[in-house]
Amino acid sequence: MSQPHLTKPNPAIQRLYRESEEAWGRQDYQKSISLIEKATRKEPYNPSLLLDLARAYGRRYDFPAAERYLEKAVEISKDRAHTLGEAGGVCLGFDDTDMALGYLARASQKKGVSVGSLTTLADIYIRDQRLDEAAELVARAAQMD
């Protein structure tokens, strides 16, 4: 699991993440997830923690739980376009392209969407032979630079 992206590191959360990573390394996945859940209870309005929790559930093939935490992260986020793009990346990390497509498509409709989200979505569209849609996204991304 990755360390949370906080402006000011919280020592309690850093400790929980270290323990979570150790548990994951020992293949004690439930303990690892439990520790991340504990971290999210300490900072319930931190979308990065919820994205990490979703990542862990997704890596364990519990896609409904992953989606639940991704949606919660988006819901509490102050920058929904960014969080939707991150959620798409989380889904790609556990090889759920369909779920990633949904989050990236939602991100593409938001003001402030990143070039990375647009190009990642365009890449998925290319693989799906949706070339016109991919070209539109690439053109939008090119205008942003």
Side-chain angles (χ1 to χ4, degrees):
M1 300 298 99
S2 63
Q3 291 291 319
H5 307 288
L6 305 172
T7 53
K8 194 164 49 171
N10 179 326
I13 289 178
Q14 288 181 323
R15 180 184 52 78
L16 289 168
Y17 264 72
R18 276 193 305 277
E19 291 176 20
S20 172
E21 288 172 357
E22 290 168 7
W24 195 274
R26 293 188 311 273
Q27 297 182 348
D28 189 350
Y29 304 118
Q30 191 51 51
K31 178 168 178 112
S32 179
I33 289 170
S34 170
L35 290 163
I36 300 170
E37 286 173 336
K38 193 172 183 179
T40 64
R41 287 191 296 275
K42 289 188 178 295
E43 289 190 10
Y45 297 103
N46 183 337
S48 294
L49 298 176
L50 294 167
L51 290 170
D52 284 341
L53 186 54
R55 182 178 293 110
Y57 274 111
R59 289 175 67 190
R60 298 305 306 149
Y61 307 103
D62 187 345
F63 301 124
E67 188 169 24
R68 187 170 55 250
Y69 288 108
L70 291 170
E71 287 298 328
K72 188 168 182 179
V74 170
E75 180 183 317
I76 67 168
S77 176
K78 292 183 175 133
D79 184 353
R80 289 211 167 102
H82 174 78
T83 303
L84 284 163
E86 290 288 316
V90 166
C91 296
L92 289 174
F94 53 75
D95 294 326
D96 192 325
T97 306
D98 290 336
M99 193 183 296
L101 181 68
Y103 286 106
L104 292 166
R106 285 169 59 194
S108 75
Q109 300 302 311
K110 299 284 185 191
K111 183 178 179 184
V113 62
S114 72
V115 170
S117 291
L118 292 175
T119 57
T120 301
L121 181 57
D123 184 52
I124 293 170
Y125 283 166
I126 289 168
R127 285 187 256 151
D128 285 348
Q129 301 296 313
R130 296 166 64 178
L131 302 181
D132 290 339
E133 292 168 283
E136 287 177 28
L137 291 171
V138 170
R140 274 182 61 199
Q143 292 175 353
M144 294 170 69
D145 273 347

